[in-house]
Amino acid sequence: MNQHLPDRRDLYFTRLYYFVCLGGAGFIFPFLNLFYARQGLSGTQIGWVAALGSLVALVAAPFWTSHSERINNPRALLQATILLSALGYLWLSQQQVFAWIALVAALRVLVSAGIYPMSDSLVLSVTGGTKSGFGSVRVWASLGWAISVLFGGWLVEKTSLLAGFFGAILTLLAGALLLFPIQARYFSPPAIQHQPTQGLRAVVSSLRAKPIMLALGAMLVLVGLGNSGVLQFETIYLDTLGASEGVIGIASMVSAAVELPGMLWADRLVRKKSPYQLLQTAMLMYVPLRALVFLFPSVATILVERAIGGIAFSLYTIALVNSIARGTRPQETRTALALYNVTLASLVAIMANPLAGALYDLLGARWLYPFAILGYFLSWLILRRSAP
C-alpha cells in the first residue's frame, strides 16, 4: 500500500496544478477578443491577431514538446514556458495599437504553445501510475475555469479588463510553483526514457499510415474551419445582444460547471466504449446546439448552448486525447498531442481566423453558426466511415 502513496500525492498536485494554472485561464481568455474590440480592432484585425498566433504555435508547439523529451529537466522547461506566458499577458495588457497587439500576442503564444501538450503528457504519465483516468485530472481545469471566469467576470464588470489579465498572471505563477512537489520521473516517463526518441518526421510518417489518425486530422481541420467564427466572436455577440461582462462570465462558467460531471462521465464511458464513437457523439451534439442560436438568437439561447455544450466538450476532450494515445506508441504520444492539438489546429486557424473575421464584418455574428454546423456534420461523417 505504501508504495502507491507517492503516486497519489503526485496525482493530487497534478489536479491542483490543472485547477489553478489551466483553470485560471478563465480570468482572461473569454474576454480577450472583447479586449481587442474595445481597443478599436475590427473583426478582420482580430482574426489576423489569432492567425499570427496560430502561425507561431504551428512551429513552437512541436519544438517545446520535442525539446522536453531531450533534456534532463522537462519540469523546468514547462515552468519556464508558464512564467514567460505570464509576462506575455502583462505586456499585452498595456497595448493599444493593432500592430503591437498582434506582435505581443504572437510572442506570448511563442512561449506558451507547449504548455498544454506537455501538461497533458504529464497527466497521462501520472494517471498511468495511479490507474486513474485522464478525465479525473482534466475536470479540475474545468472547475478552476468555472470559478475563475465567474469571479473574473465580476471583477472586470466592477473594475476593468485589466483585472482579468492580472488574475490570469497570478494563477500562472501559482501553477508554476505547484509543479515542484510532483516527482521528476513523471515529466519524462519511463516509457519514453527506455525507448529511442522519435524524430518529428518519423512520427508524422507513422501517423499518416493509420486511417483513423488521418480521420482525426480531417475532423480537426473541418471543425477548425467551420467553428472558428463562433469561437472568436460569440463573446462579442453576447456583448452585442446586451449581455454585461458579468453575464458573459456566467455564460463561460455554465459550460465549465457542466463539464465537472461531464468529464468524469466521459472518463467512465471511454473505458467501456470506443473513444472514436464518443467523438462521433460529440460532433452530432454540436449540430443542434449551433442551430439553436442561429434560429433563435438571444442571450438565453447562448446560455443554453453553452450549458449543453459542456457535455459535448467533455466527450470531445476526453475522447480525442484517448484516441491519440491509443493510436500512437508511448514515445510518439507527446509529439502527436502537440501535432494534433496545437500544430494542426494552428495551421487551420491561420486560414480560418482571418476568413471568419472578414465574414463577421460582412455578415455579422449570427451567420457564423451555419458554418460551424457544416463543419461538425462533415466531421461526423468522416469519423463514422473511418473509425475502427
Side-chain angles (χ1 to χ4, degrees):
M1 181 71 71
N2 289 337
Q3 63 181 351
H4 295 297
L5 290 179
D7 291 337
R8 283 293 169 185
R9 180 175 176 273
D10 295 316
L11 180 62
Y12 168 80
F13 277 104
T14 304
R15 287 171 173 167
L16 191 58
Y17 161 72
Y18 262 63
F19 173 78
V20 173
C21 187
L22 304 188
F27 272 106
I28 188 55
F29 194 80
F31 308 102
L32 204 51
N33 283 349
L34 187 59
F35 168 76
Y36 297 151
R38 291 186 179 178
Q39 300 303 93
L41 273 63
S42 66
T44 302
Q45 288 175 321
I46 293 173
W48 278 111
V49 170
L52 182 57
S54 298
L55 178 62
V56 172
L58 182 69
V59 178
F63 168 79
W64 289 120
T65 52
S66 178
H67 192 57
S68 71
E69 294 173 357
R70 290 175 167 85
I71 64 175
N72 294 326
N73 192 357
R75 171 169 48 199
L77 182 64
L78 178 54
Q79 289 171 318
T81 58
I82 293 171
L83 294 175
L84 290 173
S85 181
L87 290 175
Y89 272 135
L90 179 62
W91 194 11
L92 181 61
S93 69
Q94 306 303 309
Q95 306 308 312
Q96 298 179 342
V97 180
F98 165 64
W100 279 106
I101 287 175
L103 175 62
V104 175
L107 290 174
R108 193 200 68 81
V109 172
L110 176 65
V111 297
S112 67
I115 292 177
Y116 276 92
M118 284 193 285
S119 297
D120 288 347
S121 176
L122 170 65
V123 173
L124 291 174
S125 178
V126 172
T127 54
T130 59
K131 307 304 179 184
S132 300
F134 177 82
S136 70
V137 177
R138 178 58 180 79
V139 69
W140 286 88
S142 298
L143 177 59
W145 179 283
I147 296 173
S148 65
V149 78
L150 187 61
F151 185 48
W154 176 81
L155 279 178
V156 167
E157 186 174 353
K158 295 297 182 182
T159 55
S160 71
L161 285 165
L162 288 176
F165 280 102
F166 288 117
I169 290 169
L170 289 175
T171 54
L172 283 169
L173 296 177
L177 293 175
L178 286 169
L179 291 174
F180 278 114
I182 302 173
Q183 294 181 70
R185 63 191 177 96
Y186 287 116
F187 293 89
S188 183
I192 295 176
Q193 292 172 352
H194 299 303
Q195 296 185 37
T197 301
Q198 297 292 296
L200 182 60
R201 182 175 299 179
V203 174
V204 171
S205 297
S206 176
L207 297 175
R208 289 174 57 188
K210 302 171 184 176
I212 185 58
M213 301 308 291
L214 292 176
L216 291 178
M219 177 200 71
L220 289 171
V221 170
L222 290 169
V223 170
L225 289 172
N227 202 45
S228 174
V230 175
L231 287 180
Q232 287 188 89
F233 298 106
E234 190 167 71
T235 298
I236 299 176
Y237 193 27
L238 280 167
D239 188 52
T240 303
L241 291 171
S244 66
E245 289 88 345
V247 172
I248 292 173
I250 291 173
S252 296
M253 181 276 293
V254 166
S255 59
V258 173
E259 289 168 22
L260 300 181
M263 290 284 179
L264 299 176
W265 181 52
D267 222 13
R268 289 195 294 269
L269 284 178
V270 83
R271 297 172 186 171
K272 301 176 182 178
K273 298 180 179 293
S274 164
Y276 314 114
Q277 292 178 321
L278 297 185
L279 281 176
Q280 294 176 55
T281 302
M283 296 300 101
L284 283 183
M285 287 182 67
Y286 274 118
V287 171
L289 292 176
R290 296 294 191 251
L292 176 68
V293 178
F294 174 70
L295 295 173
F296 308 101
S298 68
V299 174
T301 53
I302 291 179
L303 287 172
V304 172
E305 174 212 29
R306 293 285 185 92
I308 303 177
I311 296 295
F313 180 76
S314 299
L315 295 175
Y316 172 82
T317 302
I318 301 303
L320 179 59
V321 171
N322 278 276
S323 296
I324 294 172
R326 288 192 187 187
T328 56
R329 292 172 292 179
Q331 65 268 33
E332 299 173 339
T333 301
R334 187 181 303 184
T335 301
L337 286 169
L339 285 172
Y340 278 87
N341 291 335
V342 181
T343 302
L344 182 57
S346 299
L347 183 61
V348 174
I350 292 168
M351 301 179 289
N353 289 337
L355 178 60
L359 288 173
Y360 171 78
D361 288 338
L362 180 65
L363 303 174
R366 182 184 179 188
W367 287 94
L368 298 173
Y369 288 85
F371 293 98
I373 293 170
L374 180 62
Y376 284 119
F377 182 72
L378 292 176
S379 296
W380 170 75
L381 285 178
I382 290 176
L383 289 172
R384 186 179 182 184
R385 292 177 63 87
S386 304

